[in-house]
Amino acid sequence: MQHTGELNLSDFPRTCGEWLQGRGADSDVVISSRIRLARNIRGFNFPIKMTEKQKAEVVELVAEAIRGRALRLDLNSSSSIDRALLVERHLISKELANGDGARSVIFGRGEMVSIMVNEEDHLRIQCIKSGFDLDRIWARLSRIDRLLERQLPIAFDDKVGYLTACPTNVGTGMRVSVMLHLPCLTMKEHIRKVQRACDSMNLALRGLYGEGTQALGDFYQISNQATLGKSEEQTVAAIKQVMPVVIKYERGMREALLKEDKAFLEDRVERALATLRAARQINVEEMMQHMSMVRLGLRCGLIPPAGLGIHELNELFLLCQPAHLQKHERRSLTPEERNVLRADIIRNRLSQASMN
Amino acid sequence: MPLEYEGSGIKETMRCQCCEQHKATVQIRDVENWAVKDVILICDACSKLIATQFIMPHIPMPVTREALEKAKEAMGKSGVAGVAPVGDEAEAAPDITCKNCGMSFKEFQKAGRLGCAECYKAFNETLEPILERIHGSQPAQHTGRKPGAPKADSRASVRQRVQTLKRQMDAAVKEENYERAAKLRDEINGLETGMKE
């Protein structure tokens, strides 16, 4: 099968997508914003009830519809490290990576837009961007959705809207999610209040890796629960209504801590930085905990940003994920080997940064 | 929010926290971060009332105190509170199968996913209250955007046209109307050649 564009995954361990650039509005608290749409093609069963031939046909139809506009990768024929690499870059879901049969991902060079084919639904179209910028994301995604509609008949019902494999997505098929860094609200145990605010607005608050996960490294996701009964604009508006409150809450907590207990904050930040500088082996969880504190220190001006900015920190964070490390080394590594290599890379980068 | 659903460990004297009348028979544990946050005890009748929550074990639906209060309120209005326990029939899944993809409702319960677009019609009656509950929307009515029609010359449109013609051709053969079948075959061949180019 041909690739729509040239794709060299070997370049990936040296770069990171736009969503980790640390740019955009409110980027002191908001890491990234994302919207995804679930769509199915009329005339085909949903993936769970499809034959292998039909799956291949859908992959082909979608590729045809997007011809020449983006990079395409068939996951059926790619290695498990490459698939994990795409998961770490948020280009595909774990479910698509671990699935079977004909399935593909199509994405733009900036890695802002990606389309998963034959995940739970025939199409999962997503747009992800750094900072808090849902309007621009929705404008872009909406255009792509309209473009696809001109090429593919979409399964739709006047009563329940866009038809999806899981009834939790039916209606708009739209999931809006914002990834937040809330270290001070976590420290002061105020997350429960955020949880309650989200509950009352029928929004979900989750850890970094979705449902049922712990909030690793003080990262959280807020997303809409309902997809039926509210328009796309209303769904975006609901998130836009609650987000400034959460952002202000975290900022207020940071300011208060800086004013009232600067020594405590400085201690946490400096210890984290010292650990990252000294560690000889480190796993992802510990790295994320310390990076969370370093990020906070940079944002609060507790650490001089000498050569180390949020962008560099994000890049380091991505490049130290398991699949990225293995792609970088061009071989598979045991978890122990990865922990050593991860610590080496972090130490190197941080010592370079402090010399600049 | 993963939910655990258990039917044991309830003492004889415990009353349903929903209707406050019947003996509690069902225990719902509201779990967060692997720790039990809240335990709610209800009776058979009330569990039937909020049964839509148990139909889909794969779809996390909040069974919080708040949800309970809402159920209580709804019961007060409709006066269902006095209904006698109904036993096992509340648990039974409807015996329906989607004619298009062959998925049964039981299979859907297990997988948490529907097999095709037609399943929405096949399971409509059971699905509608579930949709209302998941999305907190009554009635379950879509209000967002609608897809436009694809271009007539798009590959997908041509493919669909071919499928329709093939069905018509098979019907013509059955009716022994070979002249019509031949015409249809030529049309199909023409379209298929166009698709390959």
Side-chain angles (χ1 to χ4, degrees), chain B residues 68 72 81 93 103 113 127 132 149 154 159 162 164 166 169:
Chain B
L68 192 70
K72 234 170 159 176
M103 179 171 272
R113 303 207 179 135
L127 211 51
E132 284 172 2
S154 72
R159 186 187 162 275
V162 168
T164 314
K166 275 186 180 161
M169 183 175 74

Side-chain angles (χ1 to χ4, degrees), chain A residues 12 17 19-20 31-34 83-94 105 107 111-116 126-129 177 179 208-210 221 317-318 321 324:
Chain A
F12 269 17
W19 68 276
L20 273 176
I31 308 290
S32 62
S33 319
R34 186 184 83 115
R83 296 199 300 266
L85 194 77
L86 295 168
V87 174
E88 289 171 3
R89 297 178 85 84
H90 288 206
L91 286 169
I92 66 171
S93 63
K94 275 189 190 145
V105 59
F107 56 94
E111 295 179 41
M112 270 153 82
V113 176
S114 82
I115 301 173
M116 289 191 277
Q126 76 154 11
C127 184
I128 185 167
K129 230 173 144 306
S177 61
M179 200 202 290
L208 181 57
Y209 292 113
Q221 282 184 70
F317 160 76
L318 184 66
Q321 299 297 317
H324 275 76

Side-chain angles (χ1 to χ4, degrees), chain A residues 182-191 253 257 261 264:
Chain A
L182 306 174
C184 289
L185 288 180
T186 309
M187 249 183 243
K188 288 287 167 191
E189 290 170 8
H190 284 234
I191 288 297
M253 205 58 76
L257 264 172
D261 207 351
F264 166 77

Side-chain angles (χ1 to χ4, degrees), chain A residues 158-159 161 171-172 228-232 234, chain B residues 141-145:
Chain A
D158 279 330
K159 185 165 163 55
T172 56
L228 186 59
K230 273 196 184 127
S231 72
E232 289 80 1
Q234 285 172 317
Chain B
Q141 175 62 54
H142 176 60
T143 56
R145 75 195 301 178

Side-chain angles (χ1 to χ4, degrees), chain A residues 323-348:
Chain A
H324 275 76
L325 285 180
Q326 298 179 76
K327 194 73 188 171
H328 181 257
E329 287 292 294
R330 294 161 195 267
R331 67 188 176 97
S332 66
L333 303 165
T334 64
E336 291 74 25
E337 287 176 317
R338 293 203 293 267
N339 290 348
V340 171
L341 181 64
R342 184 176 297 117
D344 283 350
I345 293 177
I346 295 171
R347 253 193 353 266
N348 261 327

Side-chain angles (χ1 to χ4, degrees), chain B residues 3-197:
Chain B
L3 284 175
E4 280 183 44
Y5 171 51
E6 286 193 353
S8 58
I10 304 170
K11 283 183 200 143
E12 271 301 303
T13 50
M14 288 176 171
R15 294 285 107 187
C16 169
Q17 293 177 355
C18 195
C19 63
E20 289 165 7
Q21 287 183 22
H22 302 117
K23 194 178 86 108
T25 52
V26 178
Q27 184 188 53
I28 304 167
R29 291 198 283 165
D30 187 356
V31 179
E32 195 179 81
N33 287 339
W34 319 115
V36 178
K37 204 174 75 178
D38 206 353
V39 176
I40 298 163
L41 301 172
I42 56 173
C43 67
D44 278 0
C46 293
S47 82
K48 194 193 179 187
L49 187 83
I50 43 176
T52 47
Q53 292 171 329
F54 305 123
I55 288 182
M56 302 296 306
H58 289 270
I59 299 171
M61 276 180 266
V63 187
T64 54
R65 281 203 181 272
E66 215 173 300
L68 192 70
E69 290 305 318
K70 273 185 198 158
K72 234 170 159 176
E73 206 181 298
M75 272 199 326
K77 274 180 199 152
S78 59
V80 194
V83 172
V86 278
D88 288 339
E89 64 180 279
E91 248 66 56
D95 185 21
I96 319 166
T97 299
C98 172
K99 285 198 186 86
N100 181 56
C101 70
M103 179 171 272
S104 68
F105 194 83
K106 270 214 178 84
E107 208 182 332
F108 161 57
Q109 278 184 309
K110 220 171 149 193
R113 303 207 179 135
L114 295 160
C116 69
E118 297 301 315
C119 287
Y120 278 95
K121 286 197 190 100
F123 304 148
N124 179 41
E125 260 178 52
T126 325
L127 211 51
E128 197 166 304
I130 298 178
L131 291 180
E132 284 172 2
R133 190 154 256 297
I134 300 172
H135 298 283
S137 151
Q138 241 172 340
Q141 175 62 54
H142 176 60
T143 56
R145 75 195 301 178
K146 292 173 182 181
K151 287 196 288 192
D153 64 347
S154 72
R155 198 185 162 90
S157 298
V158 174
R159 186 187 162 275
Q160 274 198 327
R161 176 101 189 103
V162 168
Q163 280 183 338
T164 314
L165 290 173
K166 275 186 180 161
R167 270 198 299 275
Q168 288 174 0
M169 183 175 74
D170 290 346
V173 170
K174 254 188 203 158
E175 290 164 15
E176 299 183 11
N177 187 347
Y178 298 114
E179 202 182 331
R180 181 170 152 73
K183 259 189 196 159
L184 287 165
R185 189 199 55 213
D186 289 346
E187 202 177 333
I188 291 166
N189 284 346
L191 285 170
E192 282 185 334
T193 321
M195 264 168 84
K196 273 175 202 142
E197 275 160 12

Side-chain angles (χ1 to χ4, degrees), chain A residues 6 45 72 113 117 176 280 346:
Chain A
E6 258 178 66
N45 287 348
R72 167 179 158 206
V113 176
V117 185
V176 181
R280 291 306 198 260
I346 295 171

